[in-house]
Structures are given as structure tokens and as C-alpha cells.
Amino acid sequence: MVESGSKVPNPRKADLEKLRTDLAKEVEKLGKALKRPTEDIGGDKVWVGKNARAWHRELGGRHRRLSEQVGRLIPIVDAAIRGEPEKVPTAEARAYRESV
């Protein structure tokens, strides 16, 4: 039997660290999501003219906004990780695991 005062690695912190790793991969993908279409439309390869330029501006703006929004996620997760202790009481870890 484990005594009540013992501490174990914090499962919430482990979950947040995994989230951060997964998120970093997704941030890279999302950052590139509209890059190619924006370049294609704006490069006169796919579509030319007034409407093409308007679409290019719109897509470029969406690409910038997407990159900005996604770029804000990792610092939020990093702050949450820093706020978590390395170890927690066994009962707290068990309660967290049961709630997830």
C-alpha cells in the first residue's frame, strides 16, 4: 500500500507536455495550410485578373490571421505547463486520471 504522503509524477503536466508536442506539429502544418494556394493564386499561374488579385489579397489575409492565431497557442500551453508541479500526491494523480 502506498502511504498517503507519497508523491508521483504529475499526470496533468505529462498530458500538457504531450499536448504541446502534438500542437507544435499541428502549428507547423496549419502555418503552411494556405501558403501554397496563396502563392498559386497570386503568382499568375492559376488565375489572373481583378478577381484573382482580390482572392489573393483575401487568402493572404486569412493566411496571416491563421498563422497569428495558431502562434498564440503554444505560449498558452507553455504557461500551463510551468504552472504545474513536477510531482503531486498520489490521490490527486488518481483523481485526475479518473476525471479524464
Side-chain angles (χ1 to χ4, degrees):
M1 174 122 184
V2 178
E3 65 183 65
S4 62
S6 68
K7 292 195 172 196
V8 296
N10 184 345
R12 179 176 162 81
K13 185 167 188 161
D15 285 351
L16 286 168
E17 289 169 342
K18 182 179 181 329
L19 172 65
R20 198 227 187 263
T21 300
D22 294 346
L23 185 60
K25 292 174 189 172
E26 291 303 314
V27 164
E28 185 176 340
K29 287 180 193 175
L30 288 171
K32 294 177 182 177
L34 295 176
K35 184 177 181 184
R36 178 66 187 256
T38 303
E39 290 173 352
D40 286 349
I41 290 175
D44 295 334
K45 294 179 189 176
V46 176
W47 190 15
V48 295
K50 185 173 107 177
N51 289 338
R53 286 188 298 275
W55 269 83
H56 175 68
R57 282 191 302 275
E58 174 70 19
L59 205 50
R62 287 178 187 255
H63 180 246
R64 279 188 300 282
R65 284 190 300 279
L66 177 64
S67 295
E68 290 168 4
Q69 295 289 328
V70 167
R72 293 180 183 145
L73 295 174
I74 289 180
I76 292 168
V77 175
D78 285 342
I81 291 170
R82 283 191 303 274
E84 290 292 326
E86 289 294 322
K87 297 206 175 221
V88 295
T90 305
E92 187 178 322
R94 187 179 314 112
Y96 172 76
R97 285 190 199 105
E98 289 172 359
S99 71
V100 176

